[in-house]
């Protein structure tokens, strides 16, 4: 393990790639520190990484059961780009599709707690942005042309498989960012700073494919969204105050069904509930409040 950790420090790996462009679990500054800090093989693996390591063999088996024509094997070494040896890739499995011309592929095992909006339907190529970047890095380093992301939902215990074809143009953009980071910061031992991935990762993030049904909003929408959040806060505050006033009036009514005072009429309406619609199955009550005009004295 110590040798493996040291080798990871000798270049930019596939798990580093998302963080360098702002779609990973960490930042460029985190990656910089990891490359220059002596590794401790005794440090325990915890959290999501520990879960992934523990379930990786199972995900591989579930994938193999689903695709019996694909023979997969654990990849035990770190791959290096044939020209840029500082570009590394550690893949989970390599596979061979039997009786197909272009038969080599990468199989990347993932685990998730439910499939959120970032995951597309089974068989599509829509995966979270960080995983897309990671897999494109792996494909570019190894020279393979296809990857399968095998994702296991540990809540529903279901496996989805996402085919990701290699995108050489995207890998070129990714390489430009990584070369700047490796040469100007890691080798030069210059901290990239807190805004590095925002300055240099924008072109890469913009090149990530947009899933069907998703549109990129114009910049002006940022002000609209911010205003909407402000109005929502006002609305929530008003609704809370409205409920408080309603409860106070109901307390004044006590057991009475109707209350009057000059200019106002309040009535408590009871509903016994019913089978439909679902929102009124349980009995409930509500207030009707209206203003009333005073009759002119004769």
């Amino acid at each position: 393990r110590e040798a493996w950790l040291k080798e990871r420090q000798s270049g930019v790996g596939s798990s580093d790639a998302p963080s360098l462009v702002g779609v990973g679990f960490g930042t460029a500054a985190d990656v910089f520190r990891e490359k220059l800090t002596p590794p401790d093989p005794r440090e325990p693996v915890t959290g999501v990484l520990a879960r992934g390591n523990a379930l990786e063999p199972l995900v591989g088996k579930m994938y193999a059961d689903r695709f019996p024509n694909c023979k997969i094997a654990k990849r035990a070494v770190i791959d290096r780009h044939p020209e840029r040896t500082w570009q590394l890739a550690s893949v989970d499995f390599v596979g061979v599709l039997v009786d197909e011309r272009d038969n080599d592929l990468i199989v990347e095992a993932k685990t998730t707690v439910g499939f959120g909006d970032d995951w597309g339907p089974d068989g599509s190529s829509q995966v979270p942005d960080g995983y897309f970047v990671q897999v494109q890095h792996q494909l570019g380093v190894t020279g393979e042309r296809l990857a399968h992301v095998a994702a296991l939902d540990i809540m529903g215990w279901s496996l989805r498989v996402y085919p990701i074809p290699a995108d050489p143009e995207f890998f070129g953009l990714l390489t430009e960012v990584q070369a700047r980071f490796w040469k100007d910061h890691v080798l030069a031992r210059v901290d990239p700073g807190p805004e590095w991935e925002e300055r240099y990762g924008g072109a890469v993030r913009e090149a990530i494919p947009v899933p069907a049904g998703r549109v990129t909003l114009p910049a002006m929408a940022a002000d609209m969204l911010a205003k909407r959040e402000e109005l929502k806060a006002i609305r929530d505050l008003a609704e809370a105050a409205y409920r408080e006033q309603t409860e106070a009036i109901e307390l004044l009514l006590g057991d009475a069904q109707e209350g009057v005072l000059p200019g106002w009429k309040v009535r408590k309406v009871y509903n016994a509930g019913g089978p439909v619609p679902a929102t009124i199955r349980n009995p409930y009550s509500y207030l009707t409040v209206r203003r009333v005009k005073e009759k002119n004295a004769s």
Side-chain angles (χ1 to χ4, degrees):
R1 175 169 172 78
E2 184 174 8
W4 181 78
L5 290 172
K6 287 182 178 179
E7 187 172 2
R8 284 191 62 202
Q9 289 187 305
S10 66
V12 177
S14 51
S15 59
D16 303 323
S19 296
L20 295 185
V21 296
V23 293
F25 292 112
T27 65
D30 294 330
V31 178
F32 174 78
R33 286 190 292 270
E34 290 172 1
K35 299 303 174 186
L36 298 180
T37 303
D40 182 1
R42 297 168 300 177
E43 185 176 351
V45 178
T46 59
V48 175
L49 183 58
R51 182 186 75 194
N53 289 346
L55 293 178
E56 181 183 294
L58 176 61
V59 176
K61 182 179 184 306
M62 293 174 72
Y63 174 89
D65 290 343
R66 178 169 169 178
F67 297 96
N69 67 321
C70 183
K71 307 303 180 183
I72 66 170
K74 176 65 180 172
R75 185 67 169 166
V77 299
I78 295 179
D79 291 287
R80 292 182 181 270
H81 191 275
E83 298 173 1
R84 298 177 296 274
T85 56
W86 52 266
Q87 273 186 312
L88 316 175
S90 178
V91 305
D92 293 335
F93 301 96
V94 290
V96 177
L97 290 168
V98 179
D99 298 330
E100 294 193 22
R101 183 173 298 174
D102 298 324
N103 56 7
D104 292 345
L105 79 159
I106 291 170
V107 179
E108 187 67 15
K110 299 296 181 186
T111 60
T112 180
V113 183
F115 289 108
D117 294 339
D118 290 342
W119 295 96
D122 186 27
S124 72
S125 296
Q126 181 186 338
V127 297
D129 290 349
Y131 294 157
F132 178 83
V133 171
Q134 179 184 16
V135 167
Q136 288 298 336
H137 176 99
Q138 292 171 335
L139 290 168
V141 170
T142 62
E144 301 295 352
R145 293 195 286 180
L146 177 66
H148 279 177
V149 176
L152 172 64
D153 171 20
I154 65 172
M155 295 291 289
W157 209 250
S158 61
L159 185 76
R160 294 185 186 180
V161 178
Y162 300 87
I164 310 290
D167 185 339
E169 185 176 348
F170 184 88
F171 181 61
L173 291 174
L174 199 58
T175 296
E176 291 178 11
V177 175
Q178 294 174 356
R180 181 186 293 270
F181 175 79
W182 183 251
K183 296 173 183 177
D184 295 350
H185 295 281
V186 177
L187 295 183
R189 295 181 176 268
V190 177
D191 193 308
E195 304 298 328
W196 196 93
E197 62 274 13
E198 291 303 318
R199 289 202 306 270
Y200 299 111
V204 175
R205 293 195 300 275
E206 290 177 4
I208 295 174
V210 177
R214 181 187 298 175
V215 64
T216 301
L217 298 175
M220 62 179 289
D223 292 335
M224 299 168 64
L225 292 170
K227 184 63 177 178
R228 181 180 182 275
E229 289 302 297
E230 293 176 6
L231 293 172
K232 179 179 180 297
I234 295 172
R235 182 196 67 186
D236 293 345
L237 183 62
E239 287 181 349
Y242 178 85
R243 287 193 299 270
E244 289 180 359
Q245 294 302 315
T246 299
E247 292 170 359
I249 294 170
E250 289 178 337
L251 187 62
L252 292 174
L253 282 174
D255 295 331
Q257 187 175 356
E258 186 175 285
V260 295
L261 74 161
W264 295 93
K265 186 173 183 179
V266 181
R267 184 176 181 81
K268 184 183 290 186
V269 179
Y270 292 94
N271 190 302
V276 290
T279 54
I280 59 170
R281 285 176 178 168
N282 296 321
Y284 66 96
S285 66
Y286 61 92
L287 291 181
T288 62
V289 179
R290 63 186 179 92
R291 292 179 180 270
V292 295
K293 292 183 178 181
E294 293 292 319
K295 294 182 180 181
N296 294 330
S298 56

